[in-house]
Amino acid sequence: MANLIDSLTDYRLAIATARREHKLSMPRAIRSVLTAKLRYGIGPRLHSLFELSAKHESGWDDYLIDERLRVHLRRINPADTREVVNDKLAFYEHCVAHRIDTVPIRCLLGSFTPSKSSPIAFVTTEEDFANALHPEDDQLFFKLVNGTWGLDAFMATRKGSNWRFPGGTGTTSALFSFALARLAGRRAWIVQPFVESCPAVKCITSGALSTIRLITALRNGQPRPLFANLRISVGDNVTDNFAHGASGNLVAPIDLQSGELGPARGPARLDWP
């Protein structure tokens, strides 16, 4: 019942957005939203995100929809390569094995035991957690091993002998206890030193690490860049994830020839894209 109510709410919001943003009549807005779903498999959230009400229907089939795209990606990418990008621990181990620079991991914290060949320390006690940290680690970043969209990720900052984190302030022991409670039975936290953006990027962000998302395709065995954007964190956000607009963060296209940024865009409201 709850899923049905959520679904109906999504359609109501998509129709209202089409009317408000693109001045469609009620019948035209309803037709636009339902046609996108029934004919093209584009749900109400993506209908609003893609602003389909303002675009001719002949181009709707060109949009990449997650469900259809996953089928295509599974067909062209071997299972082992998909696992590398779907699992942050596997991705880190891949980078280490191939000598690719990446942010170091101080430890894994949680109920998950990595493989014996893993180069990462797995900690289950306060003492092991404290020993895994480096003396210069005054800022730590916690993210879920298999998390997406920056879900529940958080920062901890050390002032003297105490840490400041979303649950309050306290000793390393208090930080350890807070992290375990926030994990809530999920796989594990990846604990890393906090990394800042370069000054030219940091000055237009919330201070969180802002990254470039570069999409490539193999052509004749060689990677070819297709498009790229800069993800810009805003407000108090500690990640740059866009999350279909729910985070409030911005994205700006990057010209692949010049490297220049285009206009940054973000959601008009956080509860709907």
Side-chain angles (χ1 to χ4, degrees), residues 19 25 28 59 70 76 79 91 98 109 120 130 134 140 152 157 173 176 184 198 215 217 240 263 272:
R19 297 190 67 198
S25 65
R28 288 185 61 199
R70 288 191 186 102
I76 64 176
F91 183 78
H98 292 82
L109 191 160
I120 305 169
H134 290 197
L140 296 174
D152 286 341
T157 302
S173 174
F176 175 83
C198 66
I215 305 300
D240 65 355
W272 194 250

Side-chain angles (χ1 to χ4, degrees), residues 10-264:
D10 284 357
Y11 280 95
R12 177 181 62 80
L13 289 170
I15 292 168
T17 299
R19 297 190 67 198
R20 182 182 66 253
E21 300 295 332
H22 303 117
K23 312 305 179 185
L24 297 188
S25 65
M26 177 65 81
R28 288 185 61 199
I30 293 174
R31 179 187 180 279
S32 180
V33 173
L34 293 182
T35 298
K37 177 61 176 177
L38 298 176
R39 186 174 297 173
Y40 301 97
I42 301 175
R45 281 186 174 271
L46 291 182
H47 181 279
S48 293
L49 187 66
F50 296 156
E51 298 183 319
L52 295 187
S53 296
K55 299 177 173 65
H56 195 275
E57 186 182 330
S58 61
W60 290 6
D61 203 36
D62 293 336
Y63 284 85
L64 296 176
I65 310 305
D66 286 349
E67 291 76 11
R68 292 187 304 192
L69 182 60
R70 288 191 186 102
V71 173
H72 182 60
L73 291 177
R74 283 194 294 269
R75 185 169 62 249
I76 64 176
N77 294 294
D80 57 339
T81 60
R82 297 200 306 270
E83 180 63 22
V84 167
V85 296
N86 287 334
D87 186 301
K88 292 179 175 61
L89 178 57
F91 183 78
Y92 174 81
E93 292 177 343
H94 174 85
C95 290
V96 170
H98 292 82
R99 299 182 180 179
I100 300 172
D101 287 341
T102 188
V103 181
I105 294 177
R106 295 295 186 238
C107 65
L108 287 174
L109 191 160
S111 57
F112 165 71
T113 304
S115 65
K116 293 181 179 180
S117 61
S118 175
I120 305 169
F122 178 74
V123 302
T124 57
T125 68
E126 296 176 10
E127 182 180 4
D128 288 342
F129 176 61
N131 290 335
L133 305 183
H134 290 197
E136 68 273 16
D137 287 337
D138 290 329
Q139 287 184 300
L140 296 174
F141 188 72
F142 292 70
K143 63 184 179 184
L144 294 170
V145 167
N146 55 343
T148 58
W149 293 358
L151 179 66
D152 286 341
F154 69 96
M155 280 183 57
T157 302
R158 178 157 48 190
K159 296 274 188 179
S161 60
N162 283 338
W163 290 91
R164 185 173 72 249
F165 45 89
T169 60
T171 63
T172 301
S173 174
L175 173 59
F176 175 83
S177 298
F178 169 78
L180 280 185
R182 191 179 179 98
L183 190 60
R186 290 172 293 189
R187 194 176 173 192
W189 291 115
I190 289 177
V191 183
Q192 297 177 294
F194 177 70
V195 177
E196 292 186 318
S197 300
C198 66
V201 174
K202 184 180 178 181
C203 69
I204 61 170
T205 73
S206 68
L209 180 64
S210 286
T211 59
I212 289 174
R213 177 61 56 88
L214 174 65
I215 305 300
T216 65
L218 285 177
R219 292 289 178 85
N220 299 321
Q222 297 298 317
R224 172 190 173 188
L226 301 179
F227 60 88
N229 60 51
L230 176 67
R231 308 195 302 186
I232 302 170
S233 63
V234 302
D236 296 327
N237 289 344
V238 298
T239 71
D240 65 355
N241 300 81
F242 190 67
H244 285 178
S247 66
N249 287 332
L250 307 176
V251 289
I254 300 172
D255 186 296
L256 293 178
Q257 301 303 316
S258 67
E260 292 183 348
L261 291 180

